[in-house]
Amino acid sequence: MARDVTRRRLLGAGATIGMGSIAGCSGSGDPETATETADPTSTATTQTTDQSETTTEGPEEQEPVADGSGLIPAAYVVTKEDGEIRAYNGQTLAVEYSGSAGADDGRVLQETFDALAAGSVTGGRVFIRRAEYTPDRQLDLTSSYTEVRSDFARLTFQDHPRDDGESQTDFAIEPGDGSTEHVTIQGLVLDGNKDARTSRTRTADVRANVSHVTFRDCVVFGGKSVDGDGGYGIGEDNDADHVTIDNCIVRDSDRHGYHTSAPHLRIVNSTFLNNAKETGDVFDLAATDAVIANNHFEGNGHGIKIDDADRSGGNIVITGNVFVDNYLPDIASGQVEFADTTVDSVTISDNTFILPDIDAGETSAHVLFSSDESLGSVRIRNNHFEGGGPNALTWFRETGRKLRTLVVEHNTFERIPHDVGLLASAERLLVRDNLFDCSGGGGSLTIKECSSGVVSGNVSYDASIDVQSDLVVERNHEL
């Protein structure tokens, strides 16, 4: 059984078919040497103990078996070794594309991606082995039914000309032959490396007419520009749809962590850190339908913004997330902000919101309503709110819009340093079974301009509820 060096090295990448165990090959002596049995119609298995030897008769014939353990079939496997970058064909193990490590990283990666679109069967899997690659160009992925997978290879992008548009894009999923669909990027580290660039930048980008895209287990960071307001972590164009961000880290982009446009979004199990420190937001839900669940948001200048002025209708669920210190002291900001939205329904449930005690002239709120549009239903349930600015929970503007239904129930507001906030202009209002604890003493929740509703069963510590509308108010307790 001859030693195949190339095959063995690629097995480390999990890219090729396994080596099966073959009947009649014993493990004694040289592990590469086979020992034949005297009778080819039977197989004997010999086990040696301290003083005895036992022989067990096997079946007349045994087929070779491949155990299949740890295998990831791939159309191409990209490696950096011996001063070269190489793209191996996953079926033949031949080196299809190669070049000098570093200098030719961008060319070899792009040639590999192009091969997926040029074959008789569209798409496939590319496995990029862990190393640092330094592309000097925009990388474009255009084939449908494609997966780019890695064990955390780092792509550190160098400065390069813009291919089109006003932004310098590094890793783009583009429409091929009219559209591209079903693309997964998994386990890549995408480093925008943009500290010294002057143009608007996008570390990753999902282009128009691209759908069903997933970023999973990725780290995306460094989307910056010199003026501090042009860097995106993940960008997205209009007419993209069905985008999933799953178990990713998106950090250190100066405008948007994720610039959304897709009507259908799923952002789950991910971490967003240190984005939008001067302008923009972590991401803007210009979406029709979205699920935002089990994420961690910390240290961003703005949190999530719900802003769908270009669309109407839709439903958004924000649940199970942790929001910590997402604010700007001198600009009105909210860890969740409603801005120019006509969405049908938003549910904010089972989240934890933490802010420091902010003493600033502008509102730094956990939930900020700043929309002049007429909204559907908003339900704020089972959340924990702690700390905050002049108003922890507020409707920022009081005229020019109506909210169909507003429900605020079963929440805890603790260590609120100032007022709880303002609720206004709801056609139907329910505020019940909340706990309000104002650590500064004398804080209040003001409710006004509501057509009908109930304020009931709330408990206030060093706080008060000031109802200025004709509502049912009962069984509230101030302690």
Side-chain angles (χ1 to χ4, degrees), residues 184-198:
T184 297
I185 311 299
Q186 182 166 347
L188 275 181
V189 179
L190 301 177
D191 179 2
N193 191 30
K194 295 188 174 94
D195 288 334
R197 303 194 197 181
T198 58

Side-chain angles (χ1 to χ4, degrees), residues 243-245 258 260 262 264-270 272 282-287 289-297 303-306 315-323 335-336 346-351 353 383:
V243 177
T244 296
I245 311 294
Y258 172 29
T260 67
H264 301 90
L265 292 173
R266 183 173 173 268
I267 303 173
V268 295
N269 306 322
S270 295
F272 294 84
V282 175
F283 51 79
D284 185 341
L285 288 177
D289 295 287
V291 174
I292 315 300
N294 304 328
N295 303 286
H296 183 88
F297 303 89
I304 296 172
K305 183 178 289 185
I306 301 172
N315 306 279
I316 295 172
V317 175
I318 301 172
T319 185
N321 304 283
V322 175
F323 297 84
Q335 300 207 84
V336 175
V346 178
T347 297
I348 302 173
S349 68
D350 301 287
N351 304 283
F353 294 84
N383 303 284

Side-chain angles (χ1 to χ4, degrees), residues 137-139 157 160 162 164-172 190-194 197 199-208 220-225 230-238 240 253-261:
R137 65 189 66 197
Q138 175 178 315
L139 297 178
F157 287 90
H160 56 83
R162 290 177 292 182
D164 53 30
E166 62 180 2
S167 297
Q168 186 180 85
T169 299
D170 292 330
F171 191 101
L190 301 177
D191 179 2
N193 191 30
K194 295 188 174 94
R197 303 194 197 181
S199 64
R200 297 168 62 88
T201 58
R202 298 185 178 197
T203 303
D205 201 15
V206 181
R207 297 293 172 86
V220 181
F221 66 100
K224 296 184 178 182
S225 58
Y232 296 177
I234 300 174
E236 191 174 282
D237 294 347
N238 291 332
S253 294
D254 56 25
R255 184 170 178 84
H256 299 292
Y258 172 29
H259 182 261
T260 67
S261 298

Side-chain angles (χ1 to χ4, degrees), residues 240-415:
D241 201 1
H242 293 286
V243 177
T244 296
I245 311 294
D246 182 4
N247 198 38
C248 293
I249 298 174
V250 181
R251 62 178 177 85
D252 300 320
S253 294
D254 56 25
R255 184 170 178 84
H256 299 292
Y258 172 29
H259 182 261
T260 67
S261 298
H264 301 90
L265 292 173
R266 183 173 173 268
I267 303 173
V268 295
N269 306 322
S270 295
T271 300
F272 294 84
L273 302 171
N274 198 39
N275 302 287
K277 297 298 286 188
E278 295 188 35
T279 186
D281 41 69
V282 175
F283 51 79
D284 185 341
L285 288 177
T288 301
D289 295 287
V291 174
I292 315 300
N294 304 328
N295 303 286
H296 183 88
F297 303 89
E298 184 168 359
N300 303 283
H302 290 275
I304 296 172
K305 183 178 289 185
I306 301 172
D307 181 0
D308 60 352
D310 295 332
R311 296 189 176 99
S312 60
N315 306 279
I316 295 172
V317 175
I318 301 172
T319 185
N321 304 283
V322 175
F323 297 84
V324 179
D325 294 355
N326 303 288
Y327 77 99
L328 292 172
D330 299 321
I331 299 175
S333 57
Q335 300 207 84
V336 175
E337 180 177 354
F338 291 75
D340 297 326
T341 179
T342 58
V343 67
D344 280 342
S345 71
V346 178
T347 297
I348 302 173
S349 68
D350 301 287
N351 304 283
T352 297
F353 294 84
I354 306 294
L355 282 172
D357 296 351
I358 302 168
D359 187 11
E362 296 291 344
T363 295
S364 296
H366 298 294
V367 179
L368 174 64
F369 294 89
S370 60
S371 176
D372 286 331
E373 304 292 335
S374 295
L375 306 178
S377 298
V378 177
R379 299 168 181 85
I380 303 173
R381 293 173 169 164
N382 301 328
N383 303 284
H384 175 75
F385 299 93
E386 186 171 333
N391 291 283
L393 175 68
T394 182
W395 190 288
F396 192 60
R397 296 173 182 156
E398 301 177 30
T399 59
R401 76 281 172 273
K402 276 287 185 181
L403 177 63
R404 187 170 67 238
T405 302
L406 175 60
V407 177
V408 182
E409 63 179 354
H410 302 295
N411 303 284
T412 59
F413 294 79
E414 294 185 343
R415 202 183 52 78

Side-chain angles (χ1 to χ4, degrees), residues 201-223:
T201 58
R202 298 185 178 197
T203 303
D205 201 15
V206 181
R207 297 293 172 86
N209 299 317
V210 174
S211 65
H212 296 92
V213 174
T214 298
F215 288 87
R216 178 175 291 120
D217 304 335
C218 292
V219 180
V220 181
F221 66 100

Side-chain angles (χ1 to χ4, degrees), residues 379-457:
R379 299 168 181 85
I380 303 173
R381 293 173 169 164
N382 301 328
N383 303 284
H384 175 75
F385 299 93
E386 186 171 333
N391 291 283
L393 175 68
T394 182
W395 190 288
F396 192 60
R397 296 173 182 156
E398 301 177 30
T399 59
R401 76 281 172 273
K402 276 287 185 181
L403 177 63
R404 187 170 67 238
T405 302
L406 175 60
V407 177
V408 182
E409 63 179 354
H410 302 295
N411 303 284
T412 59
F413 294 79
E414 294 185 343
R415 202 183 52 78
I416 305 301
H418 307 287
D419 287 331
V420 176
L422 168 68
L423 299 177
S425 298
E427 294 179 13
R428 294 180 293 273
L429 176 72
L430 175 60
V431 180
R432 68 172 182 178
D433 300 332
N434 301 284
L435 183 147
F436 302 106
D437 178 9
C438 291
S439 60
S444 67
L445 172 64
T446 300
I447 299 173
K448 63 182 181 180
E449 299 180 7
C450 294
S451 301
S452 63
V454 175
V455 180
S456 174

